[in-house]
Amino acid sequence: MIDKRVASLASAVADIRDGASIMIGGFGEAGSPIELIHALIDQGARSLTVISNNTGSGRVGLAALIANGQVAKMICSYPRSVNSMVFPELYRAGKIALELVPQGTLAERIRAGGAGIPAFFTATGVGTVLAEGKELRRFAERDYLMELGLRADFALIKAEAADRYGNLVFNKTARNFAPIMCMAAQTTIVQVKKIVTAGSIDPEIVVTPGIFVNRVIVVAKPAQESQLVKEERCYP
Amino acid sequence: MIDKRVASLASAVADIRDGASIMIGGFGEAGSPIELIHALIDQGARSLTVISNNTGSGRVGLAALIANGQVAKMICSYPRSVNSMVFPELYRAGKIALELVPQGTLAERIRAGGAGIPAFFTATGVGTVLAEGKELRRFAERDYLMELGLRADFALIKAEAADRYGNLVFNKTARNFAPIMCMAAQTTIVQVKKIVTAGSIDPEIVVTPGIFVNRVIVVAKPAQESQLVKEERCYP
Amino acid sequence: MKTKTLGWSREEMASLVAADIPDGAYVNLGIGIPELVTQFVRPGSEVIFQTENGLLGMGPSPCAGLEDAELVNAGKKAVTAIPGACYFHHADSFAMIRGGHIDICVLGAMQVSAEGDLANWSTGEPDAIPAVGGAMDLVAGVKNIFVVTEHTTKTGEPKIVSKCTYPLTAKAVVDRIYTNLATIEVTSRGLVVTQLAPGVSFDYVQDKTGAVLIPGPQVAAGGES
Amino acid sequence: MKTKTLGWSREEMASLVAADIPDGAYVNLGIGIPELVTQFVRPGSEVIFQTENGLLGMGPSPCAGLEDAELVNAGKKAVTAIPGACYFHHADSFAMIRGGHIDICVLGAMQVSAEGDLANWSTGEPDAIPAVGGAMDLVAGVKNIFVVTEHTTKTGEPKIVSKCTYPLTAKAVVDRIYTNLATIEVTSRGLVVTQLAPGVSFDYVQDKTGAVLIPGPQVAAGGES
């Protein structure tokens, strides 16, 4: 029987090794798998490349992972926010690398990685500093940049519900990068608020087919990042 | 108020002009918008380029459109089936052109067209006759072909239900090419079994956002192509 | 600063933008003044707002206490969804944007050039943290780009310039500019002033602008107003 | 034709394939003998079948009278969906295939070469209607390609050849071949026979094959069986 449920957050992230590339879902706190990230802090893998739209806020979740010195490089579109101080400090100190990618290009590169497409062309970024070093090519009288598909060793994802096959549904705008990251990672690890019996998610409404998911762990009441930041919490 | 409902099949297809390119949804009869196709036969536009996975069967639906001499060129992956005689005859007689595209490449070309991606690379077809004339390029020690995004003037689509915004849901494997064709056509025309009030489709389960749909027409009880073929029906 | 009180208010600027949005349009709004546009949709017309983090049919801010941390806009502020809305993932959202399906994007600017080049993501200062978000995708993909901005910076420097000095977001993409002083169309002839704020003369606007302006048919050239 | 009765039946071939499918595998099945594989999934193991027209979790054929024209497989035959299945559109389906997420594809062949080249879509005859469907995508994208086929054509010509004469579906993609006479592994050393059908000798199989075969460790070379 296929059963992708795992027993603990610790076992879910146990095999993430030093130097791994990790996609982390979320747009700000919406969809950020904060408990999985904290488990990765406990686990301690270092020299990570993290692909995520933002860089976290306060001293919890992704910001805490960065603050803990575990991240060597960020690939993201917007490494700034009101309460984001950790990344800017380390970046200015030259202690973390940054590959800045426009948000839509980041999304499409991840989707391409998951879809077996090594490269594609987009008009985004043409004529800007982000075009430097990229191949420029004309199609039908317009210039486009060639962008490469992006894959990762692991994905850490937050979803609303899963069944034992790993089929996923999401909640509102917490969906954001999750479905494409599930596709683009070698091993996809998902925290869900609940597990439902196979067949109880209508086949018409599954957002992420189970084939893209490797491990599912229940976190029934996930913490809310903005609340932890307001309380000035610090992990660990 | 946004209201994409139109009054009749005839008015839904009235502005399709000679020489237009038309994407037609469906995989075999599943998802084939047979009533819209028949309306296009009544309308009479000629020299059409049709993009559809198959070429229809019997003398109804897509096969009837072809038999009626309205199609100059087919872009498809599988122009053959048990009851498909119309296309083979015209093709052997040199009366219709064919661009044969592998099914996954066809799907991705349509998705790329709708997503503003002029070209992408795929390993499908490398080393085959379908690679002829296509740019070959190596990424990470593997060869890929460059394939171009595909757009069309119109899409004829069958869906299960819509609201006045054009949000769509589909039925089982009748979904197939419909969502990506809705994205890739300048004007997307959809026949649905029913219209529901705005807000009655859960925002989490909308498959095709209304932004990709221009016209919706109700065909409450669509004909079943295989049944018409069995009855040896012929349109018009 | 005189410019603070002279000309249109932020609300008036948003309302001018809203008056130019056709019924049934699909619109993406940036952060700041663009967010105010939702309040001025013309009576009898319906506009659908997209937010690039995965929602078509964005509604107004929720009442206090009803915020949902998983229902936010691109600025990460709590929003609502209208009946008939839908959610989708980021690749689908930017397929919508890049594929030219959004009619209008309304966004702020640091600089706009006479050719419609836009700079709105980076000052280019050495210690700035580079952060681009979805700006480059939006201006490259959306059919019509409306910039809404104060006419000058807080220190009185022109934001409408002959050539941008800040790093570009994209070249030749801006269609219209709405400032507190005037509305301006970016055309192949150059920057055409289509409307002046009450009490503002063409010469005054030209004086506050770093590029040559052309008076439109409804606008009197010169210093009177 | 001797080959019609000699060796394994179609069901036995399908069962040999099924025995090589690991528990929990995601599998795409072609038309013909591959379709029989569903009947031989090993007890206690669970295999998920994908059909490229948009269904993961394909179940058995429906009972007569319960067919749904909108629930079909890639061969356009009526199927069912298991509890835990899901539907998706064609681009997502082939993202799954092209992206290497499907573990095994089982499909028929017109010819397989010693290097694992596959020809299974066209005879290349001048009046043939070219039709490729999803074959090229599947063999380029799926991790393991299992071919299941009669060892020779109806007229006794070898289908396993040193070089394909029919138009290729893809180069160097086939991992294993299951025929009525033998199971064969495509390796960097060449075609290794891993099992012989009862009553079939290595020499007999070699005689019916258009490429050099190598006996595997469990297979006796020569004419005895």
Side-chain angles (χ1 to χ4, degrees):
Chain A
M1 197 177 89
I2 296 173
D3 190 351
K4 297 183 178 176
R5 289 173 289 183
V6 293
S8 67
L9 284 159
S11 63
V13 302
D15 59 349
I16 299 181
R17 64 206 170 278
D18 288 359
S21 55
I22 309 183
M23 291 177 174
I24 301 185
F27 181 84
E29 69 174 322
S32 181
I34 193 165
E35 282 76 13
L36 279 172
I37 299 170
H38 288 172
L40 181 57
I41 292 173
D42 298 346
Q43 192 258 23
R46 302 183 67 82
S47 304
L48 304 172
T49 294
V50 169
I51 299 132
S52 194
N53 190 61
N54 306 102
T55 52
S57 60
R59 304 275 295 195
V60 294
L62 179 52
L65 184 73
I66 296 169
N68 205 34
Q70 293 177 254
V71 182
K73 180 180 178 182
M74 284 295 314
I75 301 178
C76 70
S77 89
Y78 207 82
R80 265 202 323 235
S81 74
V82 179
N83 297 303
S84 171
M85 294 317 300
V86 168
F87 178 85
E89 275 170 29
L90 288 174
Y91 180 74
R92 288 201 182 95
K95 290 182 176 160
I96 190 166
L98 170 66
E99 180 180 342
L100 188 73
V101 183
Q103 196 174 140
T105 297
L106 181 63
E108 190 64 18
R109 288 183 63 191
I110 295 167
R111 193 248 172 211
I117 292 170
F120 61 91
F121 293 90
T122 174
T124 299
V126 170
T128 75
V129 295
L130 297 190
E132 283 166 18
K134 289 176 187 164
E135 179 174 324
L136 188 76
R137 187 157 173 164
R138 214 164 172 78
F139 294 93
E141 322 231 325
R142 190 173 182 194
D143 288 330
Y144 296 84
L145 297 178
M146 190 173 82
E147 295 280 358
L148 302 178
L150 198 53
R151 293 185 54 82
D153 299 317
F154 293 89
L156 303 184
I157 298 298
K158 182 188 187 183
E160 188 67 11
D163 62 20
R164 66 177 170 88
Y165 291 115
N167 291 311
L168 304 179
V169 291
F170 298 91
N171 182 40
K172 306 187 182 78
T173 58
R175 185 184 304 194
N176 57 71
F177 284 88
I180 50 177
M181 287 181 171
C182 288
M183 293 171 63
Q186 194 63 35
T187 302
T188 294
I189 307 164
V190 186
Q191 67 170 76
V192 295
K193 289 190 201 144
K194 59 182 173 186
I195 299 270
V196 299
T197 55
S200 67
I201 306 175
D202 180 347
E204 300 282 4
I205 75 163
V206 170
V207 173
T208 290
I211 193 171
F212 299 123
V213 171
N214 300 88
R215 300 170 197 163
V216 175
I217 175 79
V218 176
V219 177
K221 294 195 186 305
Q224 198 179 313
E225 186 180 285
S226 53
Q227 189 58 36
L228 299 181
V229 171
K230 196 187 290 177
E231 296 167 6
E232 298 185 3
R233 298 276 285 277
C234 194
Y235 197 89
Chain B
M1 196 178 88
I2 295 173
D3 190 351
K4 297 183 178 176
R5 290 174 288 183
V6 293
S8 68
L9 285 159
S11 63
V13 302
D15 59 349
I16 299 182
R17 64 206 170 278
D18 288 358
S21 56
I22 309 181
M23 292 178 172
I24 301 184
F27 181 83
E29 70 174 321
S32 181
I34 193 165
E35 282 76 12
L36 280 172
I37 299 170
H38 288 173
L40 181 56
I41 292 173
D42 297 346
Q43 192 257 25
R46 302 182 67 82
S47 306
L48 304 172
T49 294
V50 170
I51 298 132
S52 194
N53 190 60
N54 306 101
T55 52
S57 59
R59 304 275 295 196
V60 295
L62 179 52
L65 184 73
I66 296 169
N68 205 34
Q70 293 177 254
V71 182
K73 180 181 178 181
M74 283 296 314
I75 301 177
C76 70
S77 89
Y78 208 83
R80 262 200 327 234
S81 74
V82 178
N83 296 302
S84 172
M85 295 317 301
V86 168
F87 178 85
E89 274 171 31
L90 288 174
Y91 180 73
R92 288 200 182 96
K95 289 182 177 162
I96 190 166
L98 170 66
E99 179 180 341
L100 188 72
V101 184
Q103 197 174 140
T105 297
L106 181 63
E108 190 64 18
R109 287 183 63 191
I110 294 167
R111 192 245 173 215
I117 292 170
F120 62 91
F121 293 90
T122 175
T124 298
V126 169
T128 76
V129 295
L130 296 190
E132 283 167 19
K134 288 176 186 163
E135 179 174 323
L136 189 76
R137 187 157 172 163
R138 213 164 173 78
F139 294 93
E141 323 233 324
R142 190 172 181 194
D143 287 331
Y144 296 84
L145 297 179
M146 190 173 82
E147 296 280 358
L148 302 178
L150 198 54
R151 293 186 53 82
D153 299 317
F154 293 89
L156 303 184
I157 298 297
K158 182 189 188 183
E160 188 67 10
D163 62 19
R164 66 178 170 86
Y165 291 115
N167 290 312
L168 304 179
V169 291
F170 297 90
N171 183 40
K172 306 187 182 77
T173 58
R175 185 184 305 194
N176 57 70
F177 284 88
I180 50 177
M181 287 181 170
C182 288
M183 292 171 63
Q186 194 63 34
T187 302
T188 294
I189 307 164
V190 186
Q191 67 170 73
V192 296
K193 290 191 200 143
K194 60 182 174 185
I195 299 271
V196 298
T197 55
S200 66
I201 306 175
D202 180 347
E204 300 282 5
I205 75 163
V206 169
V207 173
T208 290
I211 192 171
F212 299 124
V213 171
N214 301 88
R215 299 170 197 162
V216 174
I217 175 80
V218 176
V219 177
K221 295 196 185 303
Q224 199 178 315
E225 185 180 286
S226 53
Q227 189 57 36
L228 298 182
V229 171
K230 197 186 290 177
E231 295 167 8
E232 298 187 1
R233 298 276 286 278
C234 193
Y235 197 88
Chain C
M1 304 275 116
K2 244 186 202 165
T3 50
K4 289 268 172 180
T5 50
L6 192 68
W8 289 308
S9 66
R10 291 160 58 93
E11 284 71 18
E12 284 167 330
M13 290 156 68
S15 134
L16 285 165
V17 172
D20 286 349
I21 297 177
D23 187 16
Y26 293 92
V27 177
N28 181 294
L29 300 176
I31 294 165
I33 305 175
E35 292 176 89
L36 303 175
V37 169
T38 58
Q39 302 171 23
F40 299 98
V41 172
R42 287 175 295 138
S45 88
E46 191 174 22
V47 175
I48 304 292
F49 295 104
Q50 194 247 24
T51 178
E52 63 264 31
N53 54 315
L55 167 61
L56 186 70
M58 183 178 71
S61 304
C63 303
L66 292 180
E67 297 89 353
D68 181 341
E70 297 194 327
L71 178 45
V72 296
N73 68 10
K76 283 140 191 157
K77 285 186 203 155
V79 293
T80 54
I82 65 166
C86 52
Y87 300 108
F88 33 81
H89 64 57
H90 249 82
D92 280 351
S93 181
F94 281 89
M96 202 177 275
I97 290 165
R98 196 188 308 101
H101 304 282
I102 309 279
D103 297 304
I104 297 169
C105 178
V106 185
L107 75 179
M110 294 159 68
Q111 290 177 327
V112 182
S113 84
E115 284 78 37
D117 296 354
L118 175 68
N120 80 338
W121 74 282
S122 168
T123 58
E125 282 162 29
D127 73 333
I129 303 298
V132 65
M136 287 187 184
D137 308 283
L138 282 158
V139 296
V142 173
K143 286 180 222 157
N144 298 285
I145 305 298
F146 292 180
V147 161
V148 53
T149 176
E150 299 293 333
H151 203 88
T152 59
T153 66
K154 283 174 192 166
T155 55
E157 297 296 312
K159 297 180 108 183
I160 301 168
V161 293
S162 58
K163 194 174 156 56
C164 297
T165 55
Y166 291 141
L168 290 188
T169 309
K171 282 172 108 78
V173 291
V174 176
D175 296 289
R176 286 183 198 164
I177 310 165
Y178 301 78
T179 79
N180 54 317
L181 301 183
T183 62
I184 297 167
E185 195 94 16
V186 183
T187 76
S188 53
R189 295 190 300 133
L191 300 172
V192 176
V193 177
T194 49
Q195 204 179 346
L196 292 168
V200 173
S201 71
F202 178 83
D203 282 359
Y204 182 83
V205 178
Q206 179 65 78
D207 188 51
K208 298 287 180 191
T209 304
V212 176
L213 299 178
I214 303 165
Q218 317 299 324
V219 169
E224 297 169 61
S225 63
Chain D
M1 302 277 114
K2 244 186 203 165
T3 51
K4 289 267 173 182
T5 50
L6 192 67
W8 289 308
S9 67
R10 290 160 58 93
E11 284 72 17
E12 284 166 330
M13 290 157 67
S15 135
L16 285 165
V17 172
D20 286 347
I21 297 177
D23 187 16
Y26 292 92
V27 177
N28 181 293
L29 300 176
I31 294 165
I33 306 175
E35 291 177 90
L36 303 174
V37 169
T38 58
Q39 302 171 22
F40 299 98
V41 172
R42 287 175 295 137
S45 89
E46 190 173 24
V47 175
I48 304 292
F49 295 104
Q50 194 247 23
T51 177
E52 63 264 31
N53 54 315
L55 167 60
L56 186 70
M58 181 178 72
S61 305
C63 304
L66 292 181
E67 296 89 353
D68 181 341
E70 297 194 326
L71 178 45
V72 296
N73 66 11
K76 283 141 192 153
K77 285 185 203 157
V79 293
T80 54
I82 65 166
C86 52
Y87 300 108
F88 34 81
H89 64 56
H90 249 81
D92 280 351
S93 181
F94 280 89
M96 202 177 273
I97 290 166
R98 196 187 309 101
H101 304 282
I102 310 279
D103 297 304
I104 297 168
C105 178
V106 185
L107 75 179
M110 294 159 69
Q111 290 178 328
V112 182
S113 84
E115 284 77 37
D117 296 354
L118 174 68
N120 79 338
W121 73 285
S122 168
T123 59
E125 282 162 28
D127 72 333
I129 303 298
V132 65
M136 287 188 184
D137 307 283
L138 282 159
V139 296
V142 173
K143 286 180 220 159
N144 298 285
I145 306 298
F146 292 179
V147 161
V148 53
T149 177
E150 299 292 333
H151 203 87
T152 60
T153 66
K154 283 173 191 166
T155 55
E157 297 296 313
K159 296 180 108 181
I160 302 168
V161 293
S162 58
K163 195 173 155 58
C164 297
T165 55
Y166 291 140
L168 289 187
T169 308
K171 283 172 109 77
V173 291
V174 176
D175 295 289
R176 286 182 198 165
I177 310 165
Y178 301 77
T179 80
N180 54 318
L181 301 183
T183 63
I184 298 168
E185 195 94 15
V186 183
T187 76
S188 53
R189 295 189 300 133
L191 299 173
V192 176
V193 177
T194 48
Q195 203 180 344
L196 292 168
V200 173
S201 71
F202 179 82
D203 283 0
Y204 182 82
V205 178
Q206 179 63 78
D207 188 51
K208 297 289 180 190
T209 304
V212 175
L213 299 178
I214 302 165
Q218 317 299 325
V219 168
E224 296 168 60
S225 65

